[in-house]
Amino acid sequence: MDDFDMGLLDDNTYKVSVLRQKMLGIAPVFMYRIPKVSDAGDEYLANEWNLRKPLQQCSLRIERRGDVLLVVFTYKNEGSPPKLFAVSKILLDDYDLSHFVQPVGDSSRYFAIRVTDEKEGREAVIGLGFREREEAADFSQCLINFNSAIFKERLARGAEMAHQ
């Protein structure tokens, strides 16, 4: 799969010093414009999205770079190279996983995902839909595996520092 400009994660020193691990690839996935939830405790509902008219049909790639999980969405127009649609940069330092990705309350195939534009300093929450439940389950399991791995690595680092 092609590489795209990932902003701060693509500086040359970072590329050389941090292991890149591709964790999942799924195509197609569907991206949706979604309404904001009214209260912080409310959940997103796919039933409120215009599911017949996605913003974009994309390919999804999940890649781990050190302590960061990148969910990269690309699309391709006929006759042109793939283009970057959106990136979700998941870093579990200040927030838990639900800040970045939330399953919707009425379907197992749809999620609300926070995407960022590092260059412009903006973020948005957009809808993500999978054609098959198995693909959505693979996506969820990939996120759970990342969360678990980061937790274990941080515990190990803490134990190592305590023994020094």
Side-chain angles (χ1 to χ4, degrees), residues 10-25:
D10 263 353
D11 70 81
N12 289 330
T13 305
Y14 191 85
K15 281 183 183 178
V16 172
S17 65
V18 174
L19 175 68
R20 292 170 59 166
Q21 175 187 12
K22 182 177 176 186
M23 299 179 70
L24 184 66

Side-chain angles (χ1 to χ4, degrees), residues 79-106:
S80 65
K83 295 179 183 173
L84 183 64
F85 178 75
V87 175
S88 179
K89 184 174 106 176
I90 300 173
L91 181 61
L92 301 176
D93 286 347
D94 298 325
Y95 301 102
D96 66 3
L97 194 54
S98 65
H99 174 77
F100 301 98
V101 180
Q102 295 176 32
V104 299
D106 59 348

Side-chain angles (χ1 to χ4, degrees), residues 32-35 44 99-100 102 112-115 123-127:
Y32 299 94
R33 179 174 285 118
I34 62 175
Y44 291 96
H99 174 77
F100 301 98
Q102 295 176 32
I113 185 165
R114 186 175 303 275
V115 294
E123 50 177 44
V125 178
I126 60 175

Side-chain angles (χ1 to χ4, degrees), residues 5-8 84-85 87 89 115-124:
D5 180 11
M6 300 291 176
L8 301 175
L84 183 64
F85 178 75
V87 175
K89 184 174 106 176
V115 294
T116 57
D117 181 348
E118 281 188 354
K119 292 177 184 171
E120 300 292 326
R122 297 181 299 178
E123 50 177 44

Side-chain angles (χ1 to χ4, degrees), residues 64-155:
R64 181 174 174 186
R65 295 188 187 184
D67 284 350
V68 178
L69 190 71
L70 297 175
V71 183
V72 181
F73 300 99
T74 58
Y75 68 98
K76 185 174 181 177
N77 292 327
E78 273 191 53
S80 65
K83 295 179 183 173
L84 183 64
F85 178 75
V87 175
S88 179
K89 184 174 106 176
I90 300 173
L91 181 61
L92 301 176
D93 286 347
D94 298 325
Y95 301 102
D96 66 3
L97 194 54
S98 65
H99 174 77
F100 301 98
V101 180
Q102 295 176 32
V104 299
D106 59 348
S107 175
S108 61
R109 294 187 302 126
Y110 297 92
F111 299 83
I113 185 165
R114 186 175 303 275
V115 294
T116 57
D117 181 348
E118 281 188 354
K119 292 177 184 171
E120 300 292 326
R122 297 181 299 178
E123 50 177 44
V125 178
I126 60 175
L128 165 62
F130 294 91
R131 188 168 276 158
E132 303 293 332
R133 281 183 175 73
E134 293 80 18
E135 294 170 337
D138 289 345
F139 174 75
S140 290
Q141 190 60 51
C142 187
L143 297 175
I144 291 166
N145 292 348
F146 171 72
N147 198 31
S148 177
I150 292 296
F151 179 76
K152 288 176 184 176
E153 289 168 15
R154 289 180 178 171
L155 277 178

